[in-house]
Amino acid sequence: MIPVKSATEIATMRKACRIAATVLDRLCRCVAPGVNTYDLDQEGKRLLAECGGRSACYGYRAGAKVFPAYTCLSVNEEIVHGIGQLQRVLREGDIITVDVCVEVDGFIGDNARTVPVGAIPESTAKLLRATETALYAGIEQARSRHRVGFISHAVEQAVRPYGFGIIRDFVGHGVGRTMHEAPQIPNFGPRNRGDRLRPGMTLAIEPMISVGPPRVEMAEDGWTALTADRQPSAHFEHTVLVTDDEPEILTLAERAT
Ligand code: MF3
Ligand code: CO
């Protein structure tokens, strides 16, 4: 069953998502050559406090594992759930995925974006464009009466002309009282699959796209997923509200400062 949020729950979702987006925006502006990912995560912690949100990542449990950082910071070949480290110093030409997941008054907003560190190769810029384009193609399908598969299929079709890999080991998800609710939203597959969407559903749509084949390995830390061929991957994510009308992106920042 996919949870449908009430008007008051949606109001709280809006608040959590606006904070998540504002923190993401501000944190992405701190990305620069010479910055290490531990300091970036600490800045994320500070921004979360300043904006009135709590990290939904810090202390997140998966089995026996507990996530130790405030944001997920994934560099180059790292796909998702990277942990900030003092020794990981960003260099010109890198890309980094900044993933900010915020809890406010019992509801969660989730968003992510891959940004360049200084000037990047054209091939990598194309990866970022493809992934962002795929996200918006998916969002466009987050409409009442559509099936979850409409989103999956649209993402897959948007990536196809680029020839990049679609990561299958991680999927988008419903989001609300918990970070991962029903449904799972794969970034590939047929249109006629999955439950039908209804107004009041809130979905985190998040394509993860690789330059090479979508084979995934886990790092020693037990959290960081990376591409088996160590080529770059990108990840864009928004939390979206299904309405009677157009899909509404909830993770839009407070203002462009
Ligand atoms: N946006 C990420 C996700 O949906 C947030 C993960 S937090 C972590 O998986 F603690 F699991 F890393
Ligand atoms: Co997510």
Side-chain angles (χ1 to χ4, degrees):
M1 281 290 288
I2 307 178
V4 170
K5 276 76 181 178
S6 69
T8 43
E9 290 172 333
I10 290 168
T12 311
M13 281 297 290
R14 280 187 206 291
K15 193 170 156 190
C17 287
R18 195 178 327 111
I19 291 173
T22 304
V23 171
L24 177 61
D25 244 34
R26 296 212 205 156
L27 198 50
C28 284
R29 270 182 253 148
C30 301
V31 168
V35 173
N36 73 67
T37 59
Y38 177 83
D39 286 349
L40 207 51
D41 186 59
Q42 287 296 304
E43 180 62 11
K45 177 187 182 182
R46 198 191 65 73
L47 287 168
L48 280 160
E50 192 177 295
C51 295
R54 183 189 71 81
S55 168
C57 292
Y58 185 79
Y60 178 85
R61 286 169 184 280
K65 300 181 299 177
V66 181
F67 195 75
Y70 295 88
T71 63
C72 297
L73 300 170
S74 310
V75 182
N76 296 342
E77 73 282 0
E78 297 173 351
I79 302 164
V80 278
H81 304 158
I83 298 165
Q85 292 177 65
L86 275 175
Q87 324 86 267
R88 189 97 201 212
V89 179
L90 298 177
R91 296 187 312 180
E92 177 123 20
D94 287 346
I95 54 173
I96 178 170
T97 302
V98 180
D99 190 338
V100 175
C101 199
V102 174
E103 187 262 330
V104 177
D105 299 337
F107 285 87
I108 289 176
D110 191 4
N111 65 168
R113 183 186 306 155
T114 305
V115 294
V117 182
I120 59 172
E122 171 51 26
S123 55
T124 316
K126 194 168 152 190
L127 174 71
L128 304 196
R129 285 200 300 275
T131 311
E132 190 168 24
T133 300
L135 168 61
Y136 284 96
I139 291 172
E140 175 58 28
Q141 296 301 319
R143 291 170 181 272
S144 183
R145 290 184 288 277
H146 284 190
R147 288 175 181 270
V148 172
F150 281 52
I151 299 171
S152 306
H153 191 70
V155 169
E156 182 174 25
Q157 289 298 114
V159 176
R160 186 186 298 275
Y162 291 93
F164 292 136
I166 297 177
I167 303 295
R168 293 170 175 254
D169 302 50
F170 299 93
V171 296
H173 50 93
V175 58
R177 286 191 187 276
T178 62
M179 185 154 61
H180 299 131
E181 299 182 344
Q184 292 197 27
I185 311 174
N187 292 304
F188 60 92
R191 281 177 110 228
N192 61 354
R193 182 166 297 172
D195 290 335
R196 287 194 192 277
L197 303 177
R198 295 282 173 239
M201 293 178 176
T202 45
L203 309 174
I205 302 176
E206 50 176 328
M208 284 151 262
I209 306 300
S210 56
V211 165
R215 277 224 2 243
V216 174
E217 284 179 14
M218 289 305 293
E220 299 278 335
D221 64 23
W223 283 103
T224 312
L226 53 162
T227 57
D229 66 2
R230 302 298 188 267
Q231 290 201 82
S233 72
H235 174 203
F236 283 76
E237 175 179 35
H238 272 305
T239 299
V240 176
L241 172 69
V242 179
T243 75
D244 284 320
D245 192 32
E246 297 288 309
E248 184 183 336
I249 299 173
L250 297 182
T251 38
L252 294 177
E254 186 76 40
R255 61 202 145 87
T257 44

